[in-house]
Amino acid sequence: NKVLSNSDFFTGAFPAEFGNSISSVFDLKLRNGNNEKHEFTAQLGLFGTELTGEGPISKEKRSSYLFNYRYSTLVMFGFLGINLGTTATPYYQDAALKLNFPTKNGGNLSFFGLGGASKIDILSSTQDTSQVDIYADADRDEYFRSQMGVIGMKYVKSINTNTFAKFVVATSGESQINHNDLLYRSTDSTGRLIIGSDGRYVLDSLINKLDYDINIHKTTATFSINKKYGKKHVLKYGATANYYRFNMVDSIFNNGTTNDWTHRWDYKGDAVMLQSFIQWKYRMSKNLVLNTGIHSSYFALNNSLSPIEPRIGLRYSMKNNQSLNFAVGLHSQLQPMYTYFYQLPNEDGNYVKHNKGMDFTKSMHYIVGYNNQLAKNLRVKVEAYYQQLFNVPVTAESSSFSLVNQGSSFNRFFPEKLTNSGTGQNYGMELTLEKFFNKKFFFMTTASLYESLYKGSDGVIRNTDFNGNYAVNFLAGKEFKLGEKKSLSIGLKITAAGNKRIGPVDSLATVTQGGVVFEDATRNSQQLPDYFRADLKINYKANRKNVSHEIGLDFVNLTGHQNVLKLTYAPDPNNPTVNGIRHEYQLGFLPIFYYKLDF
């Protein structure tokens, strides 16, 4: 957030210039650095360290730099005895950079970069018998690594007083690496696990179980032309080309059965995606504005084509700072890249990539909204929406599976043959009441009532995993002056929401697979207990001649409310008669301290 400028968030029926999304678009923009003087921010807290800097490269040419670097680890929480739900320590770091160079004749050239890396080792072999790790599989040690990065260049040029062009080229990459060792513990003559004097189970052996290395690289080139015709018409058109390169390997050892490796992913290749758009903004009258356009997409891997995706929006301004808006649009989106290349052996023992031919998922969006500027710093907004999903991948054989549910848990999934015959629908209403920051005070409250349903290949309409039915948020902040150069700020955030959907557990399949398996026919017929969390933030700021000091305390989950994260299967090997299925909970009360310097 320290390097972002004003950014746009579209929650549905977004303009034609945005594609490859069926839900929402967050158009993030990096701000320029200060081109007049150098400024720096250093921060130290329980989560780690952070450094931000900006300033002029050349004051005469008004060029600037901006960078941010963070290195974080949760090791301090372990030293303080704070339970984070895991005995493992995650390490992560990230950086962002922007260099900005105004050019002659109204042009601007900028270079940008963003990257991050993380790692965590979840070692059940070293766990104390009294410890419970909600992210760990008790039968293995897991070593996980992930990285991402993007670098690029943007050039904006004013062609004349009514026309400007934008060109962007960038390259990006992401990587996920995981290694699992299957854990065997020593047992006595009765089959009970042996516990050593240190309180840990005695280790028998570790056997290589699973390895995967998933890499996706993308090179992007995009351009757009924005041209104004008189006072009523603005035309914008452009195109984007993405070149993907894939290198995906995933193997699992079938110990106890065939005693060999199954290669679930083994793919090297490339693909191209092309997108184009044209959109027209027409000021029909003083109070009525029309935005319309067409987007098109093509994915060369499987010749998926969505040639015409019409979008239209109307905004009508009324008296007393009121307005009505309406929007409708057709949208399409690729499937998660790795789902195209999962492979299974056929009858001849040859591997076949069953899902390489999956088409785009598509959706129709319908939105109507009302906005009222009640006062200079107070606004109310009401919006109703309906989203119709189709072309959703579901299993070829009759089941409750649908790709719309993926991402709701920490588990990977291994899709067999999928077809684009699933459907879904999301509809609801949202209310926002917002007081902008004025007289040292602001607040915002939002309330949402909604339904989220889908249909798998078995033809049954069910709740999606995400159908919580409601969500309410309240956010407020107040600043108090403590003299000329000192201030105290207090912030409060409260969230209440319906939790994820689950179903009755298939006990036999759960024991066989060593993880929670829900009954297929009754999937998502139950719901986890509702979610509630209140956070309080207090920070003190003192300004000096060349530096300002800020000390902050965040009290996360102030009430210590126990929010259920998921169901897990964790049987006690020394007491197998006890039910091994239990609730795992999110973080309880957590205090976070930081100290920041601006100079």
Side-chain angles (χ1 to χ4, degrees), residues 459-507:
V460 178
I461 298 176
R462 295 181 174 86
N463 295 296
T464 68
D465 290 9
F466 308 97
N467 193 13
N469 296 129
Y470 81 96
V472 179
N473 292 280
F474 175 75
L475 178 69
K478 173 68 175 176
E479 182 179 354
F480 301 90
K481 282 290 186 180
L482 304 178
E484 192 174 316
K485 297 183 177 181
K486 299 177 183 179
S487 64
L488 179 71
S489 297
I490 298 177
L492 177 66
K493 180 182 178 183
I494 300 174
T495 298
N499 213 328
K500 293 187 296 186
R501 297 281 176 164
I502 59 172
V505 174
D506 185 330
S507 300

Side-chain angles (χ1 to χ4, degrees), residues 157-421:
K157 170 68 175 176
S158 294
I159 299 174
N160 54 49
T161 55
N162 295 319
T163 309
F164 72 88
K166 181 173 70 173
F167 176 75
V168 180
V169 60
T171 183
S172 62
E174 57 179 288
S175 171
Q176 294 185 31
I177 301 172
N178 200 336
H179 172 82
N180 284 193
D181 286 327
L182 200 61
L183 172 64
Y184 291 93
R185 296 184 170 104
S186 298
T187 59
D188 59 21
S189 58
T190 64
R192 295 176 66 87
L193 295 174
I194 300 174
I195 301 176
S197 58
D198 58 357
R200 293 186 173 93
Y201 293 111
V202 176
L203 178 65
D204 180 285
S205 58
L206 288 168
I207 297 177
N208 193 0
K209 174 65 177 178
L210 179 149
D211 281 286
Y212 67 79
D213 190 348
I214 307 294
N215 296 275
I216 302 174
H217 291 88
K218 181 175 70 173
T219 301
T220 300
T222 180
F223 82 92
S224 63
I225 303 292
N226 199 96
K227 186 172 181 61
K228 184 177 180 181
Y229 295 90
K231 296 181 179 180
K232 292 188 175 183
H233 304 276
V234 178
L235 190 67
K236 186 175 184 179
Y237 56 90
T240 299
N242 290 319
Y243 172 64
Y244 294 92
R245 288 176 292 136
F246 309 107
N247 186 358
M248 302 182 180
V249 179
D250 176 300
S251 299
I252 186 169
F253 188 70
N254 303 302
N255 55 299
T257 52
T258 58
N259 286 318
D260 61 0
W261 290 87
T262 295
H263 304 293
R264 297 180 293 194
W265 275 268
D266 188 4
Y267 183 79
K268 287 185 178 180
D270 54 15
V272 173
M273 183 175 186
L274 304 175
Q275 300 177 79
S276 61
F277 76 92
I278 182 169
Q279 63 185 41
W280 170 44
K281 181 178 180 180
Y282 173 35
R283 187 172 292 278
M284 305 173 70
S285 68
K286 181 180 178 181
N287 298 323
L288 186 61
V289 177
L290 168 71
N291 283 282
T292 188
I294 295 174
H295 188 96
S296 62
S297 300
Y298 172 71
F299 189 43
L301 179 75
N302 49 20
N303 291 320
S304 291
L305 176 64
S306 184
I308 299 177
E309 297 175 10
R311 321 273 175 85
I312 185 170
L314 282 169
R315 180 180 177 85
Y316 178 64
S317 299
M318 301 180 293
K319 296 179 179 179
N320 302 319
N321 295 316
Q322 301 178 79
S323 64
L324 289 171
N325 62 279
F326 167 79
V328 61
L330 174 64
H331 305 264
S332 66
Q333 183 175 1
L334 288 173
Q335 312 307 331
M337 284 300 182
Y338 70 95
T339 61
Y340 291 97
F341 308 114
Y342 179 67
Q343 60 185 22
L344 291 169
N346 59 17
E347 295 177 353
D348 300 326
N350 298 316
Y351 284 99
V352 177
K353 296 173 178 60
H354 296 282
N355 302 319
K356 201 171 180 180
M358 285 189 299
D359 200 359
F360 295 110
T361 292
K362 296 186 177 183
S363 71
M364 284 294 301
H365 292 194
Y366 306 88
I367 294 176
V368 59
Y370 168 75
N371 189 83
N372 190 343
Q373 194 77 29
L374 300 173
K376 182 179 179 181
N377 298 299
L378 185 64
R379 180 185 69 170
V380 64
K381 180 180 178 182
V382 181
E383 188 173 87
Y385 61 90
Y386 177 79
Q387 181 191 27
Q388 180 184 11
L389 294 162
F390 57 101
N391 262 35
V392 181
V394 295
T395 54
E397 295 184 1
S398 178
S399 79
S400 66
F401 177 90
S402 174
L403 212 58
V404 298
N405 290 318
Q406 299 313 307
S408 66
S409 69
F410 299 102
N411 299 326
R412 300 172 72 206
F413 75 103
F414 307 97
E416 298 190 8
K417 189 173 183 180
L418 302 178
T419 63
N420 291 88
S421 59

Side-chain angles (χ1 to χ4, degrees), residues 29 71 133-134 236 270 333 356 373 392 411 434-435 441 448 451 468 500 516 570 578:
K29 302 178 180 67
Y71 179 83
D133 196 318
I134 64 176
K236 186 175 184 179
D270 54 15
Q333 183 175 1
K356 201 171 180 180
Q373 194 77 29
V392 181
N411 299 326
E434 182 176 11
K435 181 190 181 300
F441 174 66
S448 177
E451 285 285 346
K500 293 187 296 186
V516 173
V578 176

Side-chain angles (χ1 to χ4, degrees), residues 513-543:
Q513 298 187 25
V516 173
V517 178
F518 298 108
E519 293 179 359
D520 188 74
T522 54
R523 179 171 182 156
N524 290 350
S525 59
Q526 300 174 353
Q527 189 173 14
L528 294 174
D530 287 357
Y531 178 94
F532 177 82
R533 183 172 132 182
D535 299 340
L536 178 67
K537 179 178 179 179
I538 302 174
N539 64 295
Y540 169 80
K541 190 170 185 179
N543 297 314

